[in-house]
Amino acid sequence: MKECLNDIRTEVQTLRNCVERLSMQIEKLERQFEEAERLLEPASAPENPEAALETPAPSPRWIDRVNAKTSLRHSLSLNDSFRFTRELFEGNAARMNRMMDTLNEADTLEAAIKLLKEEVPLPDENEAMAEFMEILRKHFN
């Protein structure tokens, strides 16, 4: 019974983390949308009518944010998050979240795989590990 309650607490915490991440992503997208709208609004009517047909180039800062690599956490579905927490991180959501942050900081796929294997010593043949590795490959490509 106690084990079941601990599992429920862990899953509730994981849900809270997911909701928090989604809220942060929504806020980020809203800010990007507002900035994009602001950049596309004409400041005033141009004196040259041909200039009106030209589209203003977005600022480099805006382009960088749009093209920025998304967080690895956002690559996981809610079901994947629960499953990987349970099967790879022994039900410890905090441990998985720390690992996700660490993997996000990795520069290459090889570095991320090395970090993962140090933290989670499971064989590549493990189904959950194989799927997690595939998500890592997609994230870094």
Side-chain angles (χ1 to χ4, degrees), residues 3 8 10 14 20 31 33 42-43 48 62 64 68 70 73 75 77 80 82-83 88 90 93 120 123-125 132 139:
E3 229 177 87
I8 291 171
T10 300
T14 303
E20 183 179 320
R31 286 192 303 272
F33 182 74
N48 181 356
W62 183 80
D64 290 342
T70 60
R73 272 193 193 122
S75 302
S77 71
D80 285 341
F82 283 130
R83 179 174 176 224
L88 300 179
E90 299 166 343
V120 183
D124 292 346
E125 295 81 34
F132 195 86
H139 178 73

Side-chain angles (χ1 to χ4, degrees), residues 42 44-56:
S44 60
E47 294 176 18
N48 181 356
E50 289 180 15
L53 299 176
E54 296 174 10
T55 321

Side-chain angles (χ1 to χ4, degrees), residues 28-40 56-68:
K28 178 181 172 185
L29 290 172
E30 286 173 342
R31 286 192 303 272
Q32 288 177 347
F33 182 74
E34 288 169 2
E35 185 168 341
E37 281 185 326
R38 185 179 54 78
L39 290 172
L40 294 176
S59 71
R61 282 184 31 214
W62 183 80
I63 290 172
D64 290 342
R65 281 191 301 239
V66 169
N67 291 332

